[in-house]
Amino acid sequence: MKRLKRYRELITYSAAMAILLLLVRWLEFKFVLLQNQYDIYIGLIAVLFLLFGIWLAGKLTEPKINTVVVEKEIRIPESEFVLNEKELAERKISKRELEVLTLMAQGMSNKEIAEKLFVSLNTVKTHSANLFEKLEAKRRTQAIETAKKLHLLPGTLG
Amino acid sequence: MKRLKRYRELITYSAAMAILLLLVRWLEFKFVLLQNQYDIYIGLIAVLFLLFGIWLAGKLTEPKINTVVVEKEIRIPESEFVLNEKELAERKISKRELEVLTLMAQGMSNKEIAEKLFVSLNTVKTHSANLFEKLEAKRRTQAIETAKKLHLLPGTLG
DNA sequence: GAACAAGTCATCCTTTAGGGTGATTTTGTT
DNA sequence: AACAAAATCACCCTAAAGGATGACTTGTTC
């Protein structure tokens, strides 16, 4: 069964060829009397084989595939925050300092930060003082702005 | 010039046809003596036109267009800042206040802001006090954070 | 012209932030 | 164990920020 299917094309072509040749024979027989004007006969043969060739080509040649690549733009909403660890290392800002900085940026007072981190107010002050030096800032607001520009803090949190 | 290009295909086919017919004529002349065995001639014609048909088919068949959609990711650099005027109006924040808020967010002290705006330090303090009330903030850092969340200030300026 | 909002400035007072210095403890590394 | 960095805390003092209140001017609206 599989073999039959496999050779179906070949059989089809052979059959077509046979029919064509039969047709040629028939035409030959029909126009045998008017040999002087066998131009018509030739013409018919030509047309027939031309058509046969076209049909055959359609069957034989693999279809031309013209691949058109259409680029579709997909928008990515936001580029999420990635901590600039290089900058963090270069300025030698410690984890605890960054922690304090983050809470600062959220609008907390030193006292609130101290309570949140379970340390004394003085400790927070020390951390903030170190931060200002490392960030070359005079005030906490400036430190926050600089830190955001350096990607040490997300632009807007929440 | 454009027309010439437009009919190039047609001309090509016509030329091919002409050459083929010339070939046929030449064959006719060549085999005119052996008319009794013009089977060969017929066969040649058949083969020629068969090939011509195959060639023609290849030229004529329009290619299958295979459209491949490639999704290309496009990162939007920044979603530019648009002032939330609704929020601004609802909270009744004046132009001057917003101005002070902006400079605050840039890390400037009240004194610096006063100098920049050519007003007294007390005026800046009044503005900031009003801002804190309108933004329900206790500190300038908190006011800045809130303002950024409400899109009254750009996330990161500069 | 009365009422109102915005902007300006002042004074008094309290709280918070920040600068400077020194010291102790914890922790990780060699 | 020795060392360095990080984290902790304290004290003193100044500067800046913030709260509360009142006052004056200007421009707009009704």
Side-chain angles (χ1 to χ4, degrees):
Chain A
M1 274 294 161
K2 276 187 179 176
R3 279 196 177 179
L4 216 140
K5 201 171 182 184
R6 196 165 177 182
Y7 294 115
R8 210 178 57 183
E9 278 198 2
L10 189 67
I11 291 164
T12 309
Y13 299 144
S14 304
M17 196 50 142
I19 289 166
L20 213 70
L21 289 177
L22 261 168
L23 206 66
V24 167
R25 277 291 142 203
W26 175 74
L27 281 169
E28 196 175 351
F29 169 74
K30 194 90 194 233
F31 287 92
V32 82
L33 299 175
L34 358 144
Q35 273 186 354
N36 57 333
Q37 52 169 197
Y38 70 109
D39 272 0
I40 297 159
Y41 176 44
I42 299 274
L44 273 168
I45 296 286
V47 168
L48 265 167
F49 273 86
L50 184 70
L51 291 174
F52 178 58
I54 289 171
W55 171 80
L56 202 66
K59 285 282 167 185
L60 286 178
T61 59
E62 50 207 48
K64 276 185 188 172
I65 293 172
N66 209 342
T67 305
V68 177
V69 176
V70 177
E71 287 192 349
K72 192 181 177 186
E73 294 185 354
I74 296 230
R75 308 213 152 200
I76 297 174
E78 299 261 343
S79 57
E80 64 180 82
F81 173 70
V82 274
L83 208 163
N84 186 350
E85 306 203 40
K86 215 173 290 175
E87 200 62 50
L88 206 65
E90 278 174 18
R91 291 177 186 263
K92 292 179 183 173
I93 294 169
S94 72
K95 288 174 200 167
R96 203 57 161 169
E97 283 164 357
L98 183 63
E99 216 168 341
V100 170
L101 184 61
T102 306
L103 297 176
M104 255 187 196
Q106 282 165 23
M108 293 175 77
S109 71
N110 287 342
K111 194 182 166 195
E112 287 171 337
I113 295 171
E115 283 166 5
K116 180 145 196 174
L117 298 181
F118 302 107
V119 294
S120 83
L121 176 59
N122 288 310
T123 304
V124 176
K125 279 188 171 187
T126 307
H127 285 318
S128 69
N130 290 334
L131 276 168
F132 299 154
E133 199 172 334
K134 289 173 184 179
L135 290 171
E136 295 154 278
K138 290 172 191 164
R139 283 165 287 282
R140 47 176 49 218
T141 47
Q142 217 173 74
I144 293 163
E145 250 302 286
T146 305
K148 287 187 178 182
K149 279 186 188 169
L150 296 175
H151 294 278
L152 303 179
L153 288 176
T156 306
L157 20 160
Chain B
M1 273 296 162
K2 278 186 180 178
R3 282 196 176 181
L4 214 141
K5 201 171 182 184
R6 198 166 177 180
Y7 293 115
R8 211 178 57 180
E9 278 200 359
L10 190 65
I11 290 163
T12 308
Y13 298 144
S14 304
M17 196 51 142
I19 288 166
L20 214 69
L21 289 175
L22 261 167
L23 207 67
V24 167
R25 278 289 144 204
W26 176 74
L27 281 168
E28 196 174 351
F29 170 74
K30 196 93 194 227
F31 288 93
V32 79
L33 299 176
L34 0 142
Q35 271 185 357
N36 54 333
Q37 51 167 199
Y38 69 110
D39 272 0
I40 297 161
Y41 175 44
I42 298 279
L44 272 168
I45 294 288
V47 168
L48 264 168
F49 273 86
L50 184 72
L51 291 174
F52 179 56
I54 290 170
W55 172 79
L56 202 65
K59 285 280 164 187
L60 285 177
T61 55
E62 51 206 41
K64 232 188 194 177
I65 292 170
N66 201 353
T67 304
V68 177
V69 176
V70 174
E71 294 189 345
K72 193 181 178 184
E73 290 187 354
I74 297 254
R75 288 235 166 200
I76 304 171
E78 299 266 341
S79 55
E80 68 177 80
F81 173 69
V82 273
L83 208 162
N84 186 349
E85 306 204 39
K86 217 173 286 174
E87 200 62 49
L88 207 66
E90 277 173 20
R91 291 178 186 262
K92 292 179 183 172
I93 293 169
S94 71
K95 289 175 202 167
R96 204 57 163 170
E97 284 163 356
L98 183 64
E99 215 169 342
V100 170
L101 184 61
T102 306
L103 298 176
M104 254 187 198
Q106 283 166 22
M108 293 175 77
S109 70
N110 286 342
K111 194 182 167 194
E112 287 171 338
I113 295 170
E115 283 166 4
K116 180 148 196 174
L117 299 181
F118 301 107
V119 293
S120 82
L121 175 60
N122 289 309
T123 303
V124 176
K125 280 188 171 187
T126 306
H127 285 319
S128 70
N130 291 332
L131 276 168
F132 298 155
E133 200 171 334
K134 290 173 183 177
L135 290 171
E136 296 153 276
K138 290 172 190 164
R139 283 165 286 283
R140 48 174 49 217
T141 47
Q142 216 172 77
I144 292 164
E145 249 302 285
T146 305
K148 287 186 178 182
K149 279 185 188 169
L150 297 175
H151 293 279
L152 303 178
L153 288 177
T156 308
L157 19 161

